[in-house]
């Protein structure tokens, strides 16, 4: 199973880091669920990645839970389709939204995530954080909270998150 190359935002593609970010996303992948088709990057959580998550939360760019993510993505798609109809603007296929899931979800949960990923594939990437859901709550709020899914819903916070993937390699963290 060869992971696909993700189309990053213009800013990331044109930067010197675009190739390194692609390599980091393809370094370790796996199927999200045993019966599924979706291969996702598997990301180790370190202090830089945790800081990027906290920054997204402070900026209001983080949605918690499958339902909140689905509703946000549906509203955004409705707005994008309206722009296409009314203004004739083309909607690019670039990763500007990021779903992060814990490593302890159920088959049913991951099937729902797959469906969401397929429905919004032109601008959404799903990654598996190699930590359980209670640890995600600990990272964000300093307490054990069962958080299985995060949506980073702004391209600037997604870019910051992607930069942490290559920063960890450069700093050796």
């Amino acid at each position: 199973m060869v992971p696909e190359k993700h189309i990053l935002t213009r800013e990331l593609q044109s930067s010197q880091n675009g190739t390194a970010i692609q390599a980091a996303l393809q370094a370790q992948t796996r199927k999200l669920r045993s019966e599924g088709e979706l291969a996702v990057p598997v990301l180790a959580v370190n202090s830089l990645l945790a800081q990027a998550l906290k920054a997204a939360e402070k900026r209001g760019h983080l949605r918690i839970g499958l339902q909140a993510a689905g509703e946000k993505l549906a509203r955004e798609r409705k707005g994008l389709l309206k722009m296409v109809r009314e203004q004739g603007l083309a909607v690019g296929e670039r990763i500007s939204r990021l779903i992060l899931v814990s490593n302890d979800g159920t088959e049913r949960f991951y099937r729902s995530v797959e469906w969401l990923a397929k429905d919004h594939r032109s601008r959404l990437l799903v990654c598996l954080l190699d930590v359980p859901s209670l640890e995600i709550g600990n990272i964000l709020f300093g307490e054990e909270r069962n958080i299985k899914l995060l949506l980073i819903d702004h391209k600037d916070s997604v870019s910051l998150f992607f930069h942490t993937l290559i920063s960890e390699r450069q700093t050796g963290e």
Side-chain angles (χ1 to χ4, degrees), residues 13-70:
Q13 275 190 324
S14 63
S15 78
Q16 297 173 350
N17 297 325
T19 303
I21 291 169
Q22 287 286 0
L25 289 171
Q26 295 173 335
Q28 182 183 358
T29 63
R30 73 166 228 208
K31 282 188 175 182
L32 189 58
R33 59 188 188 96
S34 59
E35 301 296 320
E37 299 174 10
L38 182 64
V40 298
V42 178
L43 307 176
V45 177
N46 60 33
S47 62
L48 294 174
L49 192 138
Q51 288 172 4
L53 290 176
K54 290 176 189 176
E57 198 272 329
K58 282 183 182 175
R59 292 178 177 163
H61 297 165
L62 201 61
R63 302 290 170 261
I64 298 172
L66 185 62
Q67 183 176 349

Side-chain angles (χ1 to χ4, degrees), residues 1 9 18 22 65 71 84 103 110 113 116 132 140 155 161-162:
M1 153 179 64
T9 62
Q22 287 286 0
E71 289 170 357
V84 168
N103 65 4
Y110 289 139
V113 172
L116 199 58
L140 286 174
K155 67 180 181 178
F161 184 89
F162 283 153

Side-chain angles (χ1 to χ4, degrees), residues 140-157:
L140 286 174
F141 304 108
E143 61 185 52
E144 287 190 347
R145 286 181 54 185
N146 191 12
I147 299 176
K148 291 198 183 321
L149 183 144
L150 299 170
L151 168 69
I152 301 177
D153 66 3
H154 193 280
K155 67 180 181 178
D156 293 339
S157 290

Side-chain angles (χ1 to χ4, degrees), residues 85-111:
R85 276 193 316 273
E86 292 177 1
Q87 301 170 15
L89 298 176
V91 177
E93 294 199 4
R94 297 183 182 279
I95 302 303
S96 61
R97 303 296 182 261
L98 186 61
I99 283 185
L100 305 166
V101 295
S102 66
N103 65 4
D104 60 350
T106 63
E107 184 81 6
R108 181 178 177 197
F109 170 74
Y110 289 139
R111 189 176 330 114

